[in-house]
Amino acid sequence: MDFDALSEGIAPGGLRNKDDIRLLICYVLHTVDKPMSVESLTGILQETELANYFEAVDACHALIQSGNIAPTEEDETLYAVTSSGKLVSSQLEDELPPAVRDKAVGAALMLLNRLRAEKENAVHIKKLENGYRVNCSISGGDTELFSCSLYVPEESQARTVKRNFRRNPDLVYNVMIATLTRNRDLAKTALEEIESTKK
């Protein structure tokens, strides 16, 4: 097979053929069955070192031009694989090494899970005259399960609150429930979990 793609930043076993990169993008979108942005798709291929960043961007644009992927009606920045892209993916997926397919799909699923968690567990930092307000919320679909607003004097503290809330929003929720309901068993479990995250 001819190598016609840039190889900078690609790990051994990565893709060096433009058609393979396009095929992998179709395969990922077809397999995860969730629309993704060009930024997310190219980021996945770059982070896993499966394709050169510039080649991944070019591949996405070529797939858009050929009609193999298209923007969704709900959000024009998110792309889904079309019927022609699905056909290409189904017919040619065996052209890609299984390790490459698995690595790309695994990275895509992890990214989608992280994006979903960030959407459901929102944290917003607002600068005030004398500090920062951190608003945290946990959503359960169309219902807000929990929200709190916290004042901190420094930006570094606000970022720490945001990072720790995003890391384990369930723990924050459980601590609040345990405190407000005076549930000693839940409080003990939550404190044990806090200790285990320090290690």
Side-chain angles (χ1 to χ4, degrees), residues 75-116:
D75 187 341
E76 291 185 357
T77 66
L78 298 178
Y79 290 83
V81 67
T82 63
S83 55
S84 63
K86 288 178 183 177
L87 183 62
V88 168
S89 172
S90 299
Q91 291 178 340
L92 299 176
E93 69 180 68
D94 289 338
E95 299 291 320
L96 298 170
V100 168
R101 296 194 311 252
D102 293 346
K103 192 174 186 180
V105 169
L109 291 173
M110 286 176 63
L111 173 65
L112 289 169
N113 191 45
R114 189 179 81 228
L115 293 174
R116 180 193 55 77

Side-chain angles (χ1 to χ4, degrees), residues 4-21:
D4 60 359
L6 298 172
S7 59
E8 186 175 336
I10 299 177
L15 304 178
R16 292 171 174 81
N17 179 279
K18 293 177 186 289
D19 288 338
D20 285 348
I21 297 169

Side-chain angles (χ1 to χ4, degrees), residues 163-179:
R163 182 175 60 251
N164 287 330
F165 180 78
R166 282 235 170 111
R167 184 178 296 160
N168 199 339
D170 292 339
L171 177 58
V172 176
Y173 182 75
N174 288 337
V175 168
M176 290 299 295
I177 292 292
T179 303

Side-chain angles (χ1 to χ4, degrees), residues 16-167:
R16 292 171 174 81
N17 179 279
K18 293 177 186 289
D19 288 338
D20 285 348
I21 297 169
R22 293 181 194 127
L23 176 57
L24 182 60
I25 291 168
C26 286
Y27 178 80
V28 166
L29 284 172
H30 188 191
T31 303
V32 301
D33 197 28
K34 295 283 183 189
M36 300 181 77
S37 67
V38 168
E39 181 183 53
S40 294
L41 289 164
T42 56
I44 288 166
L45 297 186
Q46 184 183 20
E47 288 169 20
T48 54
E49 299 180 328
L50 290 174
N52 175 279
Y53 171 78
F54 299 105
E55 295 292 354
V57 171
D58 286 346
C60 284
H61 291 301
L63 289 168
I64 294 166
Q65 291 289 324
S66 65
N68 288 310
I69 66 174
T72 64
E73 291 181 8
E74 298 80 19
D75 187 341
E76 291 185 357
T77 66
L78 298 178
Y79 290 83
V81 67
T82 63
S83 55
S84 63
K86 288 178 183 177
L87 183 62
V88 168
S89 172
S90 299
Q91 291 178 340
L92 299 176
E93 69 180 68
D94 289 338
E95 299 291 320
L96 298 170
V100 168
R101 296 194 311 252
D102 293 346
K103 192 174 186 180
V105 169
L109 291 173
M110 286 176 63
L111 173 65
L112 289 169
N113 191 45
R114 189 179 81 228
L115 293 174
R116 180 193 55 77
E118 288 177 3
K119 184 177 179 183
E120 291 179 356
N121 308 307
V123 185
H124 301 288
I125 297 174
K126 182 179 180 181
K127 185 166 181 12
L128 306 173
E129 284 186 21
N130 58 347
Y132 295 83
R133 175 78 54 206
V134 185
N135 297 308
C136 305
S137 66
I138 299 173
S139 171
D142 57 359
T143 303
E144 187 174 71
L145 301 175
F146 168 85
S147 69
C148 71
S149 182
L150 180 70
Y151 166 81
V152 293
E154 298 178 10
E155 184 180 5
S156 61
Q157 293 171 322
R159 288 197 307 265
T160 299
V161 169
K162 179 178 181 175
R163 182 175 60 251
N164 287 330
F165 180 78
R166 282 235 170 111
R167 184 178 296 160

